[in-house]
């Protein structure tokens, strides 16, 4: 690949950003600072859980003080909490996975008592808990297709964990011109932000051209992408937008 040593290492590159909203706009802004042209094309969306009564019951029990911990792993879960007007008792602590999740909780008026200091992922949260596992009840509302790393890890620590489906992830078709540009190589970089996005890329855009640089946000997402049949060239060291763009730059300039 061509080496770019100036302050615009992605100059001339078009990069697929498969997630919209505040996060997608933030990544797009960072890409522009590095000289790239971001192509925002959300590939997943979120729908209500098919078992709304179970979710409402869990949230009622949470508000009634039956859980000592609430674990939130995505900003979408925060939206669900707000949509249900969930009140978290003072004695119930909140753990968050991911910087965007932490920010969303704070903006929604919830406090954050625990977040992984280094590995800001489900695996990292389990490691944080491993040092001082609480013998308390934990509620984990997640997407129906979330991996089991968090729940399984906490159960293995002897923690009483209750999982409830908070929402469903559904695929969104990318515009035809975007798919054509990926296939032709006119879009030279692709960001993978989750396992569900990886599966949509496999379904809608595979096979990717050999020269396309594929960057995944964290080891777990890279694992899920490869399991879905997507080649991963570089992996962000942490689950942040800046780390993901930095990984893409590494793949471009090396």
């Amino acid at each position: 690949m061509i080496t770019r040593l100036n302050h615009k290492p992605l100059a001339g590159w078009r990069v697929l950003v498969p997630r919209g909203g505040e996060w997608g706009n933030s990544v797009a802004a960072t890409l522009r600072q590095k000289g790239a042209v971001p192509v925002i094309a959300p590939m997943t969306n979120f729908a209500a859980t098919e078992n709304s009564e179970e979710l409402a019951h869990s949230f009622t029990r949470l508000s009634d003080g039956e859980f000592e911990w609430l674990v939130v792993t995505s900003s979408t879960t925060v939206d669900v909490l707000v949509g249900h007007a969930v009140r978290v008792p003072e004695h119930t602590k909140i753990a968050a996975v991911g910087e965007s999740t932490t920010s969303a909780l704070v903006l929604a008026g919830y406090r954050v008592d625990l977040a992984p200091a280094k590995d800001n992922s489900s695996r990292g949260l389990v490691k944080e808990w491993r040092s001082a596992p609480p013998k308390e009840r934990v509620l984990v509302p997640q997407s129906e297709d979330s991996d089991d790393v968090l729940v399984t890890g906490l159960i293995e620590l002897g923690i009483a964990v209750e999982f409830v489906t908070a929402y469903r992830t559904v695929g969104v078709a990318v515009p035809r011109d975007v798919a054509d540009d990926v296939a032709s190589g006119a879009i030279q970089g692709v960001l993978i932000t989750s396992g569900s996005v990886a599966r949509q890329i496999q379904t809608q855009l595979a096979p990717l051209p050999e020269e396309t640089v594929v960057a995944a946000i964290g080891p777990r997402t890279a694992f899920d992408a490869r399991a879905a049949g997507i080649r991963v060239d570089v992996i962000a060291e942490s689950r942040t937008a800046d780390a993901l763009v930095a990984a893409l730059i590494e793949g471009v300039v090396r």
Side-chain angles (χ1 to χ4, degrees):
M1 297 178 183
I2 298 174
T3 300
R4 294 167 172 80
L5 298 178
N6 58 43
H7 67 293
K8 299 286 187 181
L10 296 177
W13 274 60
R14 298 179 70 212
V15 179
L16 178 65
V17 181
R19 179 175 167 184
E22 182 179 346
W23 193 93
N25 291 334
S26 174
V27 171
T30 302
L31 287 168
R32 291 189 188 98
Q33 291 174 358
K34 304 301 181 181
V37 177
V39 180
I40 300 178
M43 300 189 71
T44 60
N45 204 345
F46 306 101
T49 174
E50 295 179 342
N51 198 339
S52 57
E53 291 185 2
E54 180 184 8
L55 179 63
H57 181 59
S58 294
F59 283 160
T60 297
R61 292 170 56 210
L62 172 65
S63 296
D64 288 345
E66 291 191 26
F67 297 96
E68 282 74 34
W69 281 90
L70 168 67
V71 179
V72 184
T73 60
S74 72
S75 56
T76 304
T77 301
V78 179
D79 292 338
V80 174
L81 291 170
V82 172
H84 283 76
V86 174
R87 181 188 65 84
V88 179
E90 284 296 322
H91 80 272
T92 301
K93 296 180 180 179
I94 301 176
V97 174
E99 291 186 356
S100 60
T101 304
T102 298
S103 298
L105 282 165
V106 173
L107 287 173
Y110 296 104
R111 67 187 180 280
V112 176
D113 300 289
L114 175 64
K118 295 181 179 180
D119 180 5
N120 208 337
S121 66
S122 294
R123 194 179 307 277
L125 183 60
V126 172
K127 290 179 180 178
E128 293 276 341
W129 235 308
R130 190 181 300 278
S131 61
K135 303 301 181 182
E136 300 170 325
R137 292 164 297 179
V138 179
L139 178 64
V140 183
Q142 288 184 301
S143 167
E144 68 175 0
D145 62 353
S146 295
D147 63 62
D148 60 358
V149 170
L150 176 61
V151 173
T152 299
L154 294 179
I155 290 175
E156 289 176 350
L157 294 177
I159 298 171
V161 182
E162 184 170 316
F163 166 82
V164 64
T165 299
Y167 59 92
R168 295 178 294 122
T169 303
V170 295
V172 176
V174 299
R176 184 70 260 167
D177 60 327
V178 173
D180 289 344
D181 284 351
V182 171
S184 69
I187 290 178
Q188 300 103 317
V190 171
L191 306 182
I192 301 183
T193 57
S194 67
S196 56
V197 165
R199 290 186 284 275
Q200 287 302 314
I201 290 175
Q202 172 62 28
T203 299
Q204 299 189 48
L205 303 177
L208 299 176
E210 285 295 324
E211 62 272 17
T212 300
V213 177
V214 181
I217 187 166
R220 179 67 203 190
T221 299
F223 175 86
D224 290 341
R226 287 166 176 154
I230 300 297
R231 182 192 79 253
V232 176
D233 299 302
V234 287
I235 304 172
E237 294 183 358
S238 61
R239 293 184 59 84
T240 66
D242 287 346
L244 183 57
V245 174
L248 178 65
I249 292 172
E250 176 188 340
V252 170
V253 302
R254 69 184 181 187

